[in-house]
Amino acid sequence: MSQALVIVAHGSHLNPDSSTPTFAHADTIRESGAFDEVREAFWKEEPSFREVLRTVEATEVFVVPLFISEGYFTEQVIPRELRLEGWNVADWDSDGTSADHATLEARDVGKTVHYCGPVGTHDSMADVIIQRAQSVTDDPAVGSGFGLAVVGHGTERNANSAKAIHYHANCIREQGRFDEVQALFMDESPEVDDVTDHFESDDVVVVPLFVADGFHTQEDIPADMGLTDETGTYSVPGTVDGTRIWYSGAVGTEPLLADVILERANDAGADIESAIERVKELTGGVVTA
Amino acid sequence: MTNTQVVTLREAASDEGGVSFDGLVVTRDDNSGTYTVTTPEASHGPLETDELMAVAKSNAAYVTNWYYWTQSDLTEDEWAFLRWLERAAENDVRDRYEALDNGIERAWGEISVTTTISETGQRQYSLCNVADREHTALNEHTDPLDARQIAKYDDDGHYRPLKTAPTLQTGWQFTDLTGTEVLQTIDFIYPATVQNWYLERQDELDISHWRETAERQTGIYDIIDELDPEAVEWLATACCVDSQCLKRRQWDESEDSPLDVPRGDGAFPCREPCSLVIAAARKWTRLEREETREYTFELTPSEKAQIEDLIDAVSDGRTDDIREADMKDGANRYRARYLRAKRFDENGQLCGVTTDATDPDS
């Protein structure tokens, strides 16, 4: 039976680069041949969540949200707009970071949808964050002598937003690879503004857990940290209060994220074991299967 | 024509019901094992197997046409669209094949699709912007994935958040695409339009009208169901007419309350207010919460007319077309700057009249 992958992301009416990581990861997965069809869909662009399922032929569709945390979009907007019959967030049985998948029928097209948890809360995101640290420092062994800041948007409105950041920061801390690991936020404490207060290391890698590069990752966070100069630009590494800051830009642009999308679909029962290995070769991930 | 095509035809003729497609009828008599081939021009038979081969060859157009349209794994909507592209419902096989030799062109929004045919009846599709039909020096593409970048920016390099805005960039062409590839390319440029066009043809288009769509919204868009029907008319006039979007609006205020705004002439339907309309509606909902006030301005008649010209020029997107030295046009930049210098105070307020406090969130 043919199976399709639909990657659903936020997109933007204003920022043309918002969809770029979604397209890039979709292309990696297309190239792997894991699915008969791969399609991207967006809240703010087209195809919309409302119409994407009719653009794929397969009657079995794996939907993976390219979102960082569980919350309003993954729990309410996406299931509603996809018209997933009988959806209830309890189907995920999640503590805020443990959503796996639920199988439902999309009412308008009569297709079976395996609705997966967001990529951002998958365990393997920790690998992507570390890969991002390796990329930005150009050091495959980065860790010793370095601090790592995992930065989230944070919002007082949804506790899950911060949970995902803390979850990955804890996982990476437990690995003992970096001297220090901290979760920091734009809109709640501890704030990224005071990044150097939270670290003793001379070198700190800062990885924002955002899907795409945009105003938040390219302007707000660097400015909040005091990393940008008068022209609004920053260098990597830059120096803030005597600490070298290795700012990586959005984690969502890391090629390895394609692996996480596939892991999500695999967890939901997609028949793609061999493709996962092929994608890991393409994205530089470690073959674990 | 290939041997595979003839062999496939012979096998299909042996199946129950035989072959009957686009004027070609081939049947097999189980008792004698002979075949009969009928086309609009002639009937042949009974034919032995080798004679069937010869007749098939002399009617290659019918055979290759049958093969192309029946031996593919297209979905119903894809099949119907590709048939529409070559005007299959309007022309019989002979006329169509003659036309396909030169290329059959159809417009889909701002895309021009030309269908041609190979010796074996395989269709090949090429695409360009309708405005480039006569141009030859176009950037050539063969990978449908390239269409995403083409659809993203207009000719001035501006981002196009609305895929069906009439601003598709020029200067590109796709050539030698298969049926599946042309459908994928179109889906990247105008997503879901083929599927919705087909649903409409089948009288199965699932329209979600304004009221239903507005009431479905949550979060920051939860408020848009406050917009009254008159404001929905203004909204559709602002966003959903042919000059702004190539989709033909099929949604109304509700199923029982049609909007007066023309639906448009687009080939493909719009089945519900899009995300851009929803985002704009949120802004207008907040703005419509304000009460009107009375302001008194001193303007000459020409200055009042000029303000109207300025609003018209921006609304119609023609500010870039106004010539630098065209002082007759009220929306000319120098004219606007003169008016600003004369009538705005140091705070940018018209005639120095204070604007009442507005909703800080609007």
Side-chain angles (χ1 to χ4, degrees):
Chain A
M1 185 188 293
S2 74
Q3 51 184 15
L5 172 70
V6 170
I7 305 171
V8 291
H10 192 284
S12 170
H13 289 154
L14 301 172
N15 175 7
D17 298 325
S18 175
S19 57
T20 305
T22 313
F23 288 146
H25 304 316
D27 286 349
T28 303
I29 295 168
R30 279 190 182 99
E31 209 175 310
S32 78
F35 289 87
D36 302 294
E37 300 164 89
V38 178
R39 192 66 172 109
E40 312 84 343
F42 303 94
W43 174 230
K44 294 289 186 183
E45 299 177 35
E46 296 158 279
S48 65
F49 298 163
R50 292 281 284 177
E51 295 187 345
V52 67
L53 293 177
R54 65 190 59 192
T55 71
V56 293
E57 228 174 278
T59 51
E60 187 108 2
V61 186
F62 293 81
V63 173
V64 178
L66 194 54
F67 281 77
I68 292 299
S69 57
E70 292 171 33
Y72 176 59
F73 280 101
T74 61
E75 293 171 1
Q76 289 187 51
V77 174
I78 298 167
R80 180 190 76 210
E81 299 290 289
L82 292 177
R83 287 170 260 195
L84 301 184
E85 189 79 46
W87 160 256
N88 185 322
V89 68
D91 295 346
W92 267 352
D93 189 24
S94 173
D95 64 6
T97 58
S98 63
D100 188 354
H101 71 276
T103 300
L104 304 117
E105 185 173 305
R107 199 163 54 243
D108 57 325
V109 287
K111 295 175 195 263
T112 300
V113 172
H114 301 280
Y115 181 49
C116 303
V119 292
T121 55
H122 195 272
D123 286 350
S124 59
M125 271 305 283
D127 297 338
V128 183
I129 295 167
I130 293 167
Q131 174 74 38
R132 200 85 192 120
Q134 291 172 195
S135 306
V136 74
T137 56
D138 198 21
D139 178 4
V142 64
S144 178
F146 274 76
L148 172 70
V150 183
V151 180
H153 189 291
T155 165
E156 304 296 342
R157 287 177 300 171
N158 186 342
N160 285 346
S161 172
K163 270 190 196 169
I165 313 298
H166 285 297
Y167 181 74
H168 297 307
N170 290 341
C171 289
I172 298 170
R173 189 179 299 118
E174 281 167 16
Q175 292 179 22
R177 174 176 180 144
F178 291 88
D179 289 358
E180 311 165 80
V181 180
Q182 300 291 345
L184 301 176
F185 300 93
M186 279 181 66
D187 281 0
E188 62 184 76
S189 60
E191 291 188 357
V192 70
D193 304 38
D194 315 311
V195 58
T196 53
D197 294 351
H198 297 284
F199 289 92
E200 290 175 6
S201 309
D202 292 335
D203 287 276
V204 176
V205 177
V206 178
V207 179
L209 233 65
F210 285 73
V211 166
D213 274 321
F215 295 115
H216 285 333
T217 63
Q218 291 302 297
E219 295 177 28
D220 294 344
I221 295 174
D224 288 350
M225 291 192 294
L227 195 62
T228 41
D229 59 22
E230 306 78 39
T231 64
T233 57
Y234 61 87
S235 39
V236 181
T239 305
V240 176
D241 299 335
T243 303
R244 266 189 304 278
I245 301 287
W246 303 76
Y247 181 62
S248 75
V251 74
T253 61
E254 180 62 42
L256 190 58
L257 203 72
D259 300 38
V260 187
I261 296 171
L262 280 184
E263 294 281 0
R264 275 292 187 208
N266 188 49
D267 294 346
D271 179 18
I272 52 173
E273 289 280 348
S274 58
I276 288 181
E277 293 185 24
R278 286 198 295 279
V279 165
K280 282 189 192 298
E281 281 165 26
L282 287 171
T283 59
V286 180
V287 177
T288 55
Chain B
M1 197 172 67
T2 66
N3 277 337
T4 305
Q5 290 172 327
V6 184
V7 170
T8 311
L9 178 74
R10 198 183 67 215
E11 287 168 1
S14 307
D15 293 342
E16 195 179 340
V19 164
S20 177
F21 185 79
D22 270 1
L24 174 69
V25 179
V26 186
T27 53
R28 181 176 182 269
D29 184 310
D30 286 341
N31 295 326
S32 63
T34 57
Y35 299 88
T36 307
V37 175
T38 309
T39 66
E41 290 87 23
S43 187
H44 311 269
L47 304 167
E48 297 299 332
T49 302
D50 55 340
E51 292 172 319
L52 171 70
M53 300 293 242
V55 169
K57 276 180 188 155
S58 61
N59 287 279
Y62 286 102
V63 177
T64 61
N65 180 70
W66 166 83
Y67 188 85
Y68 183 74
W69 290 114
T70 61
Q71 306 301 305
S72 69
D73 53 3
L74 298 166
T75 56
E76 281 178 26
D77 47 14
E78 292 172 339
W79 192 86
F81 180 73
L82 295 182
R83 300 268 293 173
W84 178 85
L85 282 181
E86 66 177 57
R87 301 180 188 276
E90 298 151 48
N91 296 313
D92 64 26
V93 172
R94 295 271 178 212
D95 290 346
R96 214 181 325 145
Y97 265 54
E98 207 175 302
L100 282 166
D101 280 339
N102 300 317
I104 297 177
E105 193 261 341
R106 292 210 87 153
W108 188 251
E110 286 185 293
I111 306 173
S112 164
V113 187
T114 302
T115 311
T116 52
I117 195 164
S118 75
E119 296 254 314
T120 59
Q122 275 299 311
R123 271 57 166 176
Q124 293 136 347
Y125 302 89
S126 58
L127 272 74
C128 67
N129 189 306
V130 168
D132 284 331
R133 273 184 292 210
E134 308 301 322
H135 297 171
T136 49
L138 301 170
N139 292 326
E140 195 151 324
H141 300 265
T142 52
D143 184 350
L145 297 177
D146 293 353
R148 288 181 307 205
Q149 275 308 106
I150 291 169
K152 208 173 210 183
Y153 300 98
D154 67 15
D155 274 334
D156 295 326
H158 296 139
Y159 177 47
R160 299 171 69 241
L162 180 66
K163 290 282 190 296
T164 45
T167 54
L168 184 64
Q169 67 172 262
T170 54
W172 52 271
Q173 66 176 337
F174 286 83
T175 51
D176 287 335
L177 300 182
T178 65
T180 302
E181 287 169 340
V182 75
L183 286 154
Q184 194 185 11
T185 308
I186 289 173
D187 198 48
F188 282 132
I189 298 176
Y190 295 139
T193 52
V194 169
Q195 289 81 9
N196 287 332
W197 165 86
Y198 180 71
L199 286 173
E200 186 180 49
R201 278 165 67 107
Q202 300 298 105
D203 208 17
E204 291 173 1
L205 186 66
D206 49 337
I207 296 164
S208 176
H209 293 283
W210 170 263
R211 194 52 46 200
E212 174 189 346
T213 306
E215 285 169 0
R216 192 178 78 232
Q217 303 303 315
T218 53
I220 62 171
Y221 302 111
D222 183 40
I223 60 171
I224 67 167
D225 58 357
E226 284 176 34
L227 268 191
D228 64 33
E230 193 178 23
V232 178
E233 291 275 3
W234 296 328
L235 173 149
T237 305
C239 304
C240 305
V241 293
D242 283 348
S243 66
Q244 308 301 308
C245 179
L246 298 170
K247 282 185 187 170
R248 175 172 27 82
R249 182 182 55 76
Q250 291 305 110
W251 53 269
D252 286 295
E253 157 67 21
S254 67
E255 193 172 356
D256 305 324
S257 314
L259 297 175
D260 293 335
V261 183
R263 298 189 182 283
D265 299 321
F268 34 81
C270 174
R271 40 165 301 283
E272 70 178 36
C274 68
S275 74
L276 214 66
V277 162
I278 298 296
R282 175 173 183 257
K283 185 69 182 171
W284 287 316
T285 303
R286 301 190 82 101
L287 295 175
E288 289 295 340
R289 285 173 177 172
E290 290 180 17
E291 297 294 326
T292 57
R293 316 280 166 90
E294 205 165 278
Y295 293 96
T296 305
F297 301 104
E298 292 262 328
L299 298 172
T300 67
S302 291
E303 286 166 353
K304 174 179 174 290
Q306 190 187 345
I307 289 171
E308 290 155 4
D309 284 348
L310 283 161
I311 292 173
D312 274 341
V314 172
S315 301
D316 298 337
R318 62 178 194 89
T319 51
D320 285 345
D321 304 331
I322 298 167
R323 289 169 298 174
E324 186 93 1
D326 186 358
M327 297 306 163
K328 287 188 200 144
D329 196 317
N332 170 275
R333 193 172 75 249
Y334 297 121
R335 288 276 309 274
R337 292 176 62 83
Y338 184 94
L339 185 69
R340 183 171 69 172
K342 178 180 175 185
R343 291 298 188 192
F344 282 20
D345 68 8
E346 62 278 11
N347 297 318
Q349 298 190 116
L350 185 62
C351 300
V353 175
T354 306
T355 306
D356 295 274
T358 55
D359 175 353
D361 295 328
S362 69

